[in-house]
Amino acid sequence: MKEYMQRMGRSLMLPVATLPVAGLLMGIGYMIDPNGWGGDNLIAAYLLKAGGTILDNLGILFAVGLAIGMPKKKDGASAMAGLVAFLTPLSLINTNSVAMFTKVAPEKVDVAFSYINNKNVFIGILAGLVAAALYDRFCEVKLPMALSFFSGKRLVPIVTVLSMSIISLGLLFIWPTIYNALTAFGKSIISLGAVGAGLFGFANRMLIPTGLHHALNNVFWFDLAGINDIGNFWSSTGTKGQTGMYMAGFFPIMMFGLPAGAYAIYKNSRPEKKAATGSLMMAAAVASFFTGVTEPLEFSFMFVAWPLYIVHAVLTGISMFISAFFHWTAGFNFSAGLVDFVLSLRVPIANKPYMLILQGLVFAVIYYVVFTFMIKKFNLLTPGREEGVGEETPDVDDPAEDKFVAMARKIYTALGGKENVDTIDNCTTRLRLQVKDTNNVDQAKIKATGVPGLKVIDGTNIQVIVGTEVQFVADAMNRIHSGAPAVVVAPVEKIEEVVVTGPVERDIYAVADGKLVSITEVSDDVFSQKMMGDGYAVLPTKGEIFTPISGTITNIFPTKHAMGILTDTGIEVLLHMGLDTVSLKGEPFELFVEEGQKVSRGQLIAKVDLEAIKKAGRKTDMIVVFTNADKVEKLTVKTGNVQANDVAGNVLNK
């Protein structure tokens, strides 16, 4: 659970990072035109609309952000699932839809459903988490052949819609009950005076993650229960010292307390992460102080350090109680930031508003001390304290870094980086790279990474032979090239290395009818020079392809022209059907096996259209390579015409 919450907190940083600028834009627009809200000033209207682009769509941002960041198998396709997950309840349980389902007029539908909208953070977080979980579960599911188009990533949005439809059905009954219960709670504490204000402040902050704080806000700020704190304050009607009591206590928190908490988070961040943490905390603190937009700060620690957020809610309640008890009042139209505080000073009903500044300074000290104590005492993973390497650490080998990522970084750097690399592609065993100039490639550094070899094709094309796991290196390099984190998805099922202690399967069968040749006769340097390992090839006369050895299909290349087989004794076998057939996009190949399937030697695993390969100008060599040559002591290859069930050679264990 701890790791899950940390991952959730990190994922929320993506949408949270967009919030400070939105708060500032709206704050400046509101400061220019506080009465007309853009209606009296074109610049103010433009700024308010620009900021509202983000703040009015918080639910969508959180849904997509979590859907991207939470899955264990990182892929941008999960964002689509997050968006679909969010849109489903918005379509099913908004006011108009509920009116249609219940056959009543929209104005008679429970007001709770009017808050199922783009701003609803609770729906956004729920949608993002559901989409992420479903992406991990279904992104690699393979459906029967008739439905194969909908397999894998395409299946995720479909399952997501079905799941969120069921969840929406539950919310149809639960949402108004919770909303109305909170409204009733708000009405019940009206008579408690300063204590009621304190309870409202605490509950308001605690409900922020769900979006249900609006239920309480309506009771105290508008005319739902006869209080209308905002309307009465700005019209200067009501009772001096009481009107505004449900707003005043927020000013010390948003202008002073939270910014001081942000400073504590920055001070307690790791040295290598202070710069990144400082920029986030500074932007969030400025937004909170000037405009009262607190989401950037609160969501940065709400989940990764939830005890701290509870303390924040308690301190907000205490601040509300103190200001109400001493009858210090001020009000806001937008939020409890400096802009609204200055504007409220000219309202006659405001009572001793400057005392809120003194209260705020005291709360700044309290927030800094309490946050610092709790972060250190309980080792709370606030921003900048999360485990992992900081962004500003030097580019050195990290023993914890994925081996494919490490190799990708070194190869990419040796290729000349972004200035020299144009495109990155791969086939079954090699990186196929287009660069601006192969003379700028440091071949020695590439070889030093431990790759079997490289091949310069011409002045702009180069191939680096990696092995059957080349896909993971290519994926990491593409992410580095695009500027994204070089996160590599590990194989679905890790197969532990088998130590050879006894006799292995000695008979290696030919893969097809035809002429058996030594691998040195294959017209591709990568194979003929044994860069990938020793082996053999068959020049086929028939298109039926058989397994050369018993084992498990570990991977099948997307274009179907190659696959890997792992024997029970740990020998890795690569079957490569044809030369340069990756460009044929799988059309000549019909496979009868799938990844993870156990196969027996001599089993029919594919049919190949040999004529289609020849017509495309490619060679039909069926190549078998033993890629972990350290486990192969001797391979004797018989040449000449063979049948598929003829022995091609013998493999002996070391």
Side-chain angles (χ1 to χ4, degrees), residues 4 14 51 91 109 120 168 187 214 229 231 251 277 284 311 325 391 472 476 508 559 592 600 620:
Y4 183 85
L14 181 61
S91 297
V109 172
N120 196 306
S168 298
K187 292 178 179 179
H214 295 294
D229 213 31
F251 284 100
T277 305
V311 170
F325 182 81
E391 293 179 0
F472 305 113
I508 306 299
T559 49
F592 306 116
S600 302
T620 59

Side-chain angles (χ1 to χ4, degrees), residues 332-383:
F332 50 77
N333 266 319
F334 180 63
S335 192
L338 180 65
V339 175
D340 268 306
F341 181 76
V342 172
L343 292 173
S344 70
L345 295 178
R346 65 187 184 188
V347 180
I349 205 170
N351 189 54
K352 300 179 182 179
Y354 290 108
M355 292 303 295
L356 294 174
I357 295 179
L358 177 62
Q359 181 182 336
L361 293 173
V362 173
F363 268 84
V365 175
I366 293 173
Y367 263 76
Y368 179 79
V369 172
V370 171
F371 271 44
T372 299
F373 171 78
M374 290 193 65
I375 290 170
K376 291 182 176 180
K377 177 69 175 178
F378 302 106
N379 191 28
L380 299 178
L381 297 183
T382 47

Side-chain angles (χ1 to χ4, degrees), residues 32 124 144 182 240 286 290 323 385 411 449 455 531 565 630:
I32 294 173
L182 291 171
K240 191 178 181 68
V286 168
F290 281 100
S323 61
R385 288 176 61 84
I411 294 175
T449 64
K455 183 179 180 180
M531 293 182 185
I565 304 171
D630 59 316

Side-chain angles (χ1 to χ4, degrees), residues 367-631:
Y367 263 76
Y368 179 79
V369 172
V370 171
F371 271 44
T372 299
F373 171 78
M374 290 193 65
I375 290 170
K376 291 182 176 180
K377 177 69 175 178
F378 302 106
N379 191 28
L380 299 178
L381 297 183
T382 47
R385 288 176 61 84
E386 62 273 4
E387 298 175 1
V389 182
E391 293 179 0
E392 292 143 23
T393 53
D395 186 17
V396 296
D397 284 342
D398 176 15
E401 188 178 44
D402 187 289
K403 66 177 182 179
F404 304 118
V405 174
M407 179 178 286
R409 289 189 194 281
K410 293 176 181 178
I411 294 175
Y412 186 73
T413 301
L415 288 168
K418 198 171 187 66
E419 292 75 19
N420 196 42
V421 177
D422 284 331
T423 60
I424 301 167
D425 202 354
N426 69 283
C427 64
T428 317
T429 58
R430 68 192 88 175
L431 296 168
R432 295 174 179 265
L433 308 156
Q434 286 187 357
V435 296
K436 292 182 173 62
D437 187 353
T438 52
N439 291 323
N440 295 330
V441 175
D442 192 331
Q443 297 186 33
K445 284 187 177 180
I446 293 178
K447 293 176 180 178
T449 64
V451 298
L454 59 85
K455 183 179 180 180
V456 177
I457 308 299
D458 52 40
T460 58
N461 290 276
I462 186 171
Q463 297 178 359
V464 179
I465 295 83
V466 175
T468 54
E469 296 173 317
V470 65
Q471 176 187 342
F472 305 113
V473 178
D475 288 346
M477 285 185 66
N478 273 305
R479 289 183 171 89
I480 294 170
H481 189 58
S482 65
V487 179
V488 175
V489 180
V492 178
E493 211 175 322
K494 181 180 177 182
I495 302 176
E496 298 293 336
E497 181 178 358
V498 180
V499 179
V500 181
T501 56
V504 302
E505 183 176 23
R506 303 173 68 91
D507 294 334
I508 306 299
Y509 278 57
V511 293
D513 293 346
K515 183 179 180 180
L516 184 66
V517 298
S518 169
I519 198 168
T520 58
E521 296 181 37
V522 174
S523 57
D524 185 307
D525 293 345
V526 173
F527 295 112
S528 63
Q529 295 180 17
K530 301 183 180 180
M531 293 182 185
M532 292 302 305
D534 208 345
Y536 67 92
V538 175
L539 307 181
T541 55
K542 294 181 181 179
E544 295 180 333
I545 308 301
F546 304 84
T547 47
I549 198 168
S550 298
T552 302
I553 305 294
T554 55
N555 63 308
I556 298 175
F557 201 72
T559 49
K560 303 180 185 179
H561 73 290
M563 65 182 69
I565 304 171
L566 181 71
T567 71
D568 292 340
T569 50
I571 296 176
E572 298 170 357
V573 183
L574 169 66
L575 170 59
H576 195 287
M577 295 180 281
L579 294 175
D580 292 325
T581 48
V582 64
S583 60
L584 302 183
K585 299 180 180 179
E587 293 181 3
F589 306 102
E590 181 183 6
L591 303 186
F592 306 116
V593 292
E594 58 184 14
E595 290 181 358
Q597 181 177 334
K598 292 279 188 180
V599 291
S600 302
R601 60 184 177 184
Q603 178 179 332
L604 179 66
I605 57 173
K607 285 187 178 180
V608 180
D609 188 340
L610 301 178
E611 292 304 315
I613 294 177
K614 293 175 182 177
K615 187 177 292 185
R618 307 293 189 267
K619 295 197 173 184
T620 59
D621 302 31
M622 300 296 154
I623 306 162
V624 176
V625 183
F626 303 94
T627 57
N628 55 345
D630 59 316
K631 286 191 170 75

